């Protein structure tokens, strides 16, 4: 296992390097000039040239890449091209807890909805409850997260005034301020994820319930709760865990959109603003962090396989 983890970690580093390199060159291939964005398109060639020299944008792209990659190896993500030229690492460090709080709460909400819905739907196959869960799951998949976010703001923030419409409160200010600012965006992001998980849990449970060893367990007269939660559920979770790792992309993509709707200054909002402002270092730093989340989340999924099913071993 240790050798496998070492290989996967090295592979993860290579993937992150490839993603960062691709983003670096693609950003510079996109039409637009970051210096023009900094000067608000004011025609001042002398000032523009001075800024290009200051930030090294007058050098060939490969020279810029070598310098940037050298700084990354030292833990320096560079300096923002806009505003007061704040360190990108500082900007990302401020945005990271907000995005992870939102993604984590979205995951908890989605799992709290999907697990009982999927189990009940599988155990009561072809019943009215099963059809209702299936219909709700398809509705959840069909609703765009930004559209659901706007509906939640209109209902719970504007009309009922139960929850704040925008912003973020750190956990240091108290649990309820933190939760009240995140609950609406977390529901908006977690709903499509819950729909996918509920359908996957249902399908996986149905496959396990039809196996021979489950029929033998029934013949032995085991109680239904033990039959389901001890024998069926652990075996049904392996494909579900696989989907959970892949569906993390859905969660992170949802944060990019929903953070802008709720004005939460997380990695998603940071990424969108960086692209619009052509702030190369900010975009590169944010994508590097997001790619690290994806890669190591999938590594965690592989490790969870061995926890759920001891028969699985990696060499």
């Amino acid at each position: 296992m240790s050798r496998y983890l070492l290989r996967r970690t090295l592979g993860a580093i290579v993937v992150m390097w490839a993603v960062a390199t691709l983003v670096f060159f693609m950003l510079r291939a996109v039409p637009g000039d970051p210096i023009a964005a900094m000067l608000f398109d004011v025609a001042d060639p002398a000032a523009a040239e001075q800024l290009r020299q200051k930030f090294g944008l007058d050098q060939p792209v490969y020279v810029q890449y070598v310098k940037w990659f050298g700084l990354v190896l030292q833990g320096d993500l560079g300096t923002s091209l806009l505003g007061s030229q704040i360190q990108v690492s500082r900007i990302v460090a401020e945005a990271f807890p907000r995005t992870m709080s939102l993604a984590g709460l979205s995951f908890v909400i989605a799992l709290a909805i999907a697990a009982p819905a999927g189990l009940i739907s599988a155990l009561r196959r072809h019943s009215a409850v099963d059809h209702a869960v299936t219909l709700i799951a398809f509705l959840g998949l069909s609703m765009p997260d930004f559209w659901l976010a706007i509906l939640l703001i209109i209902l719970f923030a504007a009309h009922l005034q139960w929850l704040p419409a925008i912003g973020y409160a750190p956990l240091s200010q108290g649990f309820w301020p933190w939760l009240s600012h995140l609950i609406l965006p977390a529901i908006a992001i977690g709903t499509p994820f819950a729909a996918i998980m509920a359908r996957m849990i249902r399908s996986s449970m149905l496959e396990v319930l039809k196996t021979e060893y489950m029929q033998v367990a029934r013949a032995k007269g085991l109680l239904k709760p033990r039959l389901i939660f001890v024998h069926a559920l652990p075996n049904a979770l392996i494909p579900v865990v696989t989907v959970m790792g892949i569906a993390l992309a859905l969660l992170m993509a949802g944060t990019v959109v929903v953070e802008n709707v709720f004005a939460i200054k997380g990695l998603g909002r940071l990424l969108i603003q960086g692209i619009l402002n052509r702030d190369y270092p900010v975009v590169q730093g944010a994508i590097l962090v997001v790619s690290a989340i994806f890669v190591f989340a999938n590594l965690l999924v592989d490790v969870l396989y061995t926890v759920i099913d001891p028969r699985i071993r990696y060499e």
Side-chain angles (χ1 to χ4, degrees):
M1 174 61 78
S2 58
R3 290 197 299 271
Y4 172 78
L5 290 176
L6 179 60
R7 290 199 305 269
R8 283 297 304 270
T9 302
L10 293 175
I13 294 172
V14 172
V15 170
M16 290 170 57
W17 166 78
V19 170
T21 300
L22 184 62
V23 169
F24 182 92
F25 288 103
M26 286 183 66
L27 280 174
R28 284 153 180 79
V30 174
D33 186 2
I35 301 302
M38 294 174 64
L39 297 176
F40 302 101
D41 294 318
V42 176
D44 188 349
E49 184 60 30
Q50 184 178 3
L51 285 174
R52 283 192 181 88
Q53 293 177 2
K54 177 180 179 181
F55 293 110
L57 298 177
D58 59 326
Q59 298 175 340
V61 175
Y62 67 88
V63 175
Q64 297 179 40
Y65 172 75
V66 170
K67 289 185 176 181
W68 171 77
F69 189 66
L71 290 174
V72 169
L73 292 178
Q74 300 174 38
D76 186 354
L77 297 178
T79 305
S80 173
L81 300 180
L82 303 179
S84 56
Q85 288 86 51
I86 305 174
Q87 287 291 319
V88 173
S89 56
R90 177 182 169 186
I91 299 173
V92 171
E94 291 176 356
F96 182 78
R98 299 168 185 173
T99 296
M100 294 311 297
S101 295
L102 179 55
L105 185 59
S106 302
F107 181 83
V108 171
I109 290 174
L111 200 58
I113 296 171
L119 281 174
I120 293 171
S121 183
L123 296 175
R124 303 187 63 178
R125 185 183 183 188
H126 300 315
S127 66
V129 174
D130 183 22
H131 295 315
V133 170
T134 301
L135 177 61
I136 294 172
F138 281 125
L139 288 175
L141 283 171
S142 303
M143 288 188 296
D145 45 21
F146 69 88
W147 181 77
L148 180 58
I150 294 171
L151 290 183
L152 292 173
I153 290 174
I154 293 173
L155 178 59
F156 292 101
H159 182 63
L160 297 176
Q161 297 184 355
W162 289 353
L163 296 167
I166 60 173
Y168 171 83
L171 195 55
S172 58
Q173 294 183 10
F175 179 75
W176 174 244
W178 173 82
L179 182 63
S180 64
H181 282 83
L182 288 181
I183 188 68
L184 293 183
I187 291 173
I189 296 171
T191 299
F193 186 80
I196 294 174
M197 294 301 302
R199 295 298 298 167
M200 190 64 193
I201 290 172
R202 178 187 181 275
S203 300
S204 185
M205 279 295 295
L206 288 175
E207 289 296 324
V208 171
L209 291 173
K210 292 187 295 185
T211 57
E212 292 183 358
Y213 68 84
M214 288 300 298
Q215 295 175 12
V216 172
R218 290 192 195 96
K220 289 181 177 179
L222 295 179
L223 295 176
K224 193 171 183 179
R226 179 177 176 82
L227 195 69
I228 294 169
F229 294 105
V230 176
H231 295 277
L233 187 59
N235 290 286
L237 281 179
I238 294 177
V240 175
V241 169
T242 304
V243 174
M244 287 169 58
I246 297 172
L248 177 65
L250 178 64
L251 276 179
M252 296 304 296
T255 60
V256 172
V257 177
V258 173
E259 280 180 358
N260 282 274
V261 175
F262 287 91
I264 298 174
K265 296 180 179 179
L267 289 175
R269 185 176 174 86
L270 182 68
L271 188 59
I272 295 295
Q273 290 181 338
I275 292 172
L276 293 176
N277 295 326
R278 299 182 181 86
D279 195 344
Y280 297 158
V282 169
V283 176
Q284 292 160 187
I287 290 182
L288 193 63
V289 173
V290 171
S291 65
I293 294 172
F294 279 129
V295 169
F296 286 102
N298 281 282
L299 177 60
L300 178 62
V301 166
D302 287 346
V303 175
L304 284 177
Y305 287 163
T306 61
V307 177
I308 297 171
D309 190 348
R311 295 171 300 176
I312 298 176
R313 287 291 180 265
Y314 296 112
E315 297 297 337

